[in-house]
Amino acid sequence: MDQYLKHVKTVFQEHGNPDMAPFQIKYMRNQFNYYGLKAPVWLALTKDIHREKGLPAGEDLKKLARLCFEEEYRELHYFALESVQKSMKHQEIGFIDFLEELITTRSWWDTVDWLAPKMLATHLKRYPSLVPSIPDRFIESDNIWLQRSAILFQLKYKQSTDAALLFRLILRRADSKEFFIQKGAGWALREYSKTNPDTVVEFIEGNKLAALTKREGMKWVSLA
């Protein structure tokens, strides 16, 4: 996997745009370095690498992802997540531990908002016995990114959303001062309002929520 990563780094660096990188770094509040690759570019490069080198599986996949996350360039973290996402339909129930590791590694909204409503969502749908134990454990964690993940994992569930669970998780952190928790709760409510607007309005109006959460949660309803 070390040689695999070396190849990824070479390809990404060769195709990077140094003129774009400073803008990406600034946009992400100087959290990470960038090669200057736009999403369509690194996605295409990732697809080519998978086709050429194959997609690692099992412990090799975990090792590659960990190696990527040890690097300073954010596109390498994206490469790791794209590789993991392509494997989700084949993962065993215990893979939840690795997803938790990814959520809490080099955490920022871009990776967490990929992991939670896509990979975590897929895994919990495949293994419903993990619900609500995992979301409950995440929401009780001191880690805001696990908390946000618990709130967001049903983001694309639509009619399959467990509204009682969603509302309970949001209320558990309703007193949070963290921007990413307040905003995440509002985002989750806004998405669910597209499926069940009356229930969302009733919840927002009937509970003490942060102003940001209410504002975000009501956006779609206000436009409808």
Side-chain angles (χ1 to χ4, degrees):
M1 291 301 98
D2 294 275
Q3 290 302 312
Y4 195 119
L5 175 59
K6 184 177 180 180
H7 176 69
V8 177
K9 291 167 66 176
T10 298
V11 172
F12 276 24
Q13 188 169 21
E14 287 177 350
H15 290 81
N17 181 351
D19 294 331
M20 184 187 300
F23 297 99
Q24 294 175 301
I25 293 169
K26 183 178 180 180
Y27 179 69
M28 297 301 285
R29 299 185 185 179
N30 300 303
Q31 297 283 328
F32 316 98
N33 280 331
Y34 276 83
Y35 287 117
L37 295 169
K38 290 186 177 180
V41 178
W42 65 253
L43 280 168
L45 294 175
T46 298
K47 185 176 182 180
D48 289 343
I49 292 169
H50 286 160
R51 183 167 50 245
E52 178 185 352
K53 298 290 186 179
L55 178 64
E59 292 303 313
D60 280 344
L61 176 62
K62 292 180 182 179
K63 181 177 181 180
L64 177 61
R66 287 174 177 136
L67 287 172
C68 286
F69 270 86
E70 288 175 2
E71 298 290 329
E72 61 180 314
Y73 288 93
R74 197 56 163 170
E75 292 98 332
L76 297 176
H77 308 164
Y78 298 156
F79 176 86
L81 294 187
E82 179 69 9
S83 300
V84 171
Q85 183 170 314
K86 288 185 176 298
S87 76
M88 287 307 302
K89 292 182 180 180
H90 308 289
Q91 297 299 343
E92 300 295 330
I93 190 170
F95 198 71
I96 186 65
D97 294 333
F98 188 60
L99 291 177
E100 181 174 354
E101 178 183 333
L102 291 175
I103 291 169
T104 55
T105 302
R106 300 278 189 146
S107 308
W108 199 240
W109 63 264
D110 56 335
T111 53
V112 172
D113 292 0
W114 182 352
L115 280 155
K118 292 185 178 180
M119 285 175 264
L120 180 62
T122 296
H123 202 67
L124 294 183
K125 267 196 172 182
R126 290 188 68 217
Y127 301 105
S129 63
L130 294 173
V131 182
S133 61
I134 293 301
D136 277 352
R137 181 163 63 80
F138 281 12
I139 204 69
E140 294 300 334
S141 166
D142 291 333
N143 186 296
I144 66 166
W145 301 110
L146 289 176
Q147 294 171 14
R148 184 174 168 98
S149 295
I151 292 169
L152 292 181
F153 85 92
Q154 295 190 93
L155 194 68
K156 302 300 181 182
Y157 276 23
K158 297 182 179 180
Q159 291 88 351
S160 298
T161 300
D162 182 337
L165 175 60
L166 173 63
F167 295 160
R168 178 163 59 79
L169 293 169
I170 289 174
L171 287 176
R172 178 62 187 86
R173 292 295 169 183
D175 61 348
S176 176
K177 304 302 181 184
E178 290 286 349
F179 169 83
F180 288 110
I181 300 303
Q182 295 182 3
K183 184 87 169 182
W187 185 18
L189 290 170
R190 183 173 76 248
E191 283 301 304
Y192 187 48
S193 75
K194 297 175 184 178
T195 299
N196 199 339
D198 293 341
T199 300
V200 170
V201 171
E202 182 180 357
F203 172 75
I204 291 175
E205 292 181 345
N207 291 279
K208 186 177 180 181
L209 303 172
L212 175 58
T213 297
K214 288 184 176 182
R215 187 165 61 251
E216 289 295 319
M218 291 294 289
K219 276 185 176 179
W220 181 260
V221 178
S222 300
L223 292 173

